[in-house]
Amino acid sequence: MTVGISHARAVDAKVVACASTGNTSASLASYAAAAELPALVIIPEGKVTGGKLSQTIAHGAKVVQVQGDFDQALALLRESSEKFGVYLVNSVNPFRLEGQKTIVFEMLEQLDWRVPDVIALPGGNLGNTAAFGKALDDAFAVGLIDRVPRLMTIQASGAAPFAKYFECGFDRYEPVIAGTVATAIKIGNPASVERARRSIERTSGYVTTVTDDEILEAKAQVDRAGIGCEPASAATVAGVRRLVREGVIATDANVVGVLTGHVLKDADAVARYHLEDVDGRARAGANRPVTIPAELSALERVLTDAIHG
């Protein structure tokens, strides 16, 4: 985002804008505030989590809620960009993708330039998939790496137009009406489909899907590891599990899984997973608070259960 906003400043943009499921809008609002540029954010009404929306509002962006989904919001913004000269900072902007390449460069640097076998990441609007492929091409071309890892993009099964495109050998692409608990990747018509396709093809990569239940179970495991992530990020972990089971990823492969959103980006998902019943009972991994009287004996029982399971 800082690359996109820097370019907006360089070309004297009057207003910077994005359509968003929440993460892009929070980032845009932050960098636009630092650059002292007016920011416009278009979001699908009622479908952006409180954590993301609060960041966007706090940083001063003008928030417009569209009575529709993300795909309709982006289409409306692209039309307004052409008509009114608004500077668009979604991943259709090539400067955004140049900035997103740094995720790969930092990853490789942290690995002391030892190339993993697989890089797995969630797929929504597919800007990261497109940028990752370009970054790997660049790194290989200048000799920073001696081989290119496979990119594996994971989509939620309810929002998987790219996975279906992959399944048919990239022969026929069809948008879908998206529906998934992973709101950050709840996108039915991604903007970077063809660029992402090139990344998958050039890296001999793979695209798969995971269910919402698989996403939530993987998220609970990531959270319990003390890291934490929002549901869309957990698609990475759930997807790697599936691809190992299916033999696409070898059991001894060196895999880097990218988590794209912090646990507090969607605190409501945490509450629903741990506090709400499914088919009349708690999920197997639920961690529910307990209520006790203000008595030492009651606390002792809780402690005993915690220690001895």
Side-chain angles (χ1 to χ4, degrees):
M1 186 59 74
T2 187
V3 177
I5 296 298
S6 294
H7 185 254
R9 283 288 299 271
V11 299
D12 294 323
K14 303 305 179 187
V15 178
V16 292
C18 73
S20 181
T21 56
N23 284 328
T24 300
S25 65
S27 182
L28 169 67
S30 174
Y31 282 103
E36 298 182 342
L37 282 171
L40 172 69
V41 168
I42 300 182
I43 61 174
E45 184 181 24
K47 298 175 184 177
V48 173
T49 66
K52 299 174 186 181
L53 184 57
S54 63
Q55 287 180 288
T56 306
I57 292 171
H59 294 316
K62 182 67 175 180
V63 177
V64 177
Q65 299 189 104
V66 170
Q67 294 174 338
D69 60 16
F70 167 83
D71 301 300
Q72 291 170 302
L74 181 57
L76 181 64
L77 182 58
R78 294 181 78 162
E79 186 178 351
S80 71
S81 176
E82 294 173 3
K83 186 171 183 179
F84 303 114
V86 173
Y87 186 93
L88 184 61
V89 204
N90 280 96
S91 58
V92 294
N93 182 323
F95 292 93
R96 266 288 307 280
L97 292 178
E98 287 299 309
Q100 284 171 259
K101 292 190 321 186
T102 59
I103 300 169
V104 171
F105 298 146
E106 290 181 13
M107 175 197 306
L108 292 169
E109 183 180 38
Q110 290 167 15
L111 293 171
D112 293 327
W113 303 98
R114 294 189 298 271
V115 181
D117 299 310
V118 172
I119 298 174
L121 70 159
N125 214 25
L126 301 177
N128 276 334
T129 299
F132 280 26
K134 193 171 189 301
L136 292 169
D137 278 349
D138 291 351
F140 182 76
V142 299
L144 288 173
I145 56 177
D146 58 5
R147 62 186 178 90
V148 174
R150 300 179 72 191
L151 283 180
M152 301 203 176
T153 299
I154 318 300
Q155 293 203 291
S157 57
F162 190 54
K164 292 178 181 177
Y165 192 28
F166 174 79
E167 286 172 7
C168 70
F170 292 126
D171 180 59
R172 184 181 65 261
Y173 172 73
E174 294 180 1
V176 301
I177 302 300
T180 173
V181 69
T183 56
I185 55 175
K186 187 180 176 182
I187 297 170
N189 190 19
S192 296
V193 169
E194 291 307 317
R195 284 176 290 193
R197 169 187 173 173
R198 289 196 294 271
S199 292
I200 295 298
E201 290 178 330
R202 288 177 182 174
T203 65
S204 299
Y206 204 89
V207 186
T208 194
T209 64
V210 288
T211 67
D212 280 1
D213 281 344
E214 289 173 319
I215 286 171
L216 291 174
E217 292 303 322
K219 170 180 159 48
Q221 185 175 28
V222 173
D223 293 348
R224 286 195 299 270
I227 300 169
C229 67
E230 68 169 326
S233 296
T236 295
V237 178
V240 169
R241 284 176 171 173
R242 166 166 286 190
L243 294 174
V244 170
R245 286 198 309 268
E246 295 175 352
V248 177
I249 297 177
T251 55
D252 61 348
N254 184 355
V255 180
V256 174
V258 179
L259 306 180
T260 52
H262 189 272
V263 63
L264 294 181
K265 288 284 190 176
D266 191 350
D268 290 343
V270 177
R272 287 194 300 270
Y273 179 87
H274 291 283
L275 302 182
E276 293 182 3
D277 287 348
V278 177
D279 296 328
R281 59 181 181 274
R283 290 179 181 272
N287 180 24
R288 295 187 171 180
V290 296
T291 301
I292 62 170
E295 299 171 359
L296 183 58
S297 59
L299 180 58
E300 183 179 4
R301 288 193 295 272
V302 174
L303 291 172
T304 300
D305 289 343
I307 293 170
H308 298 292

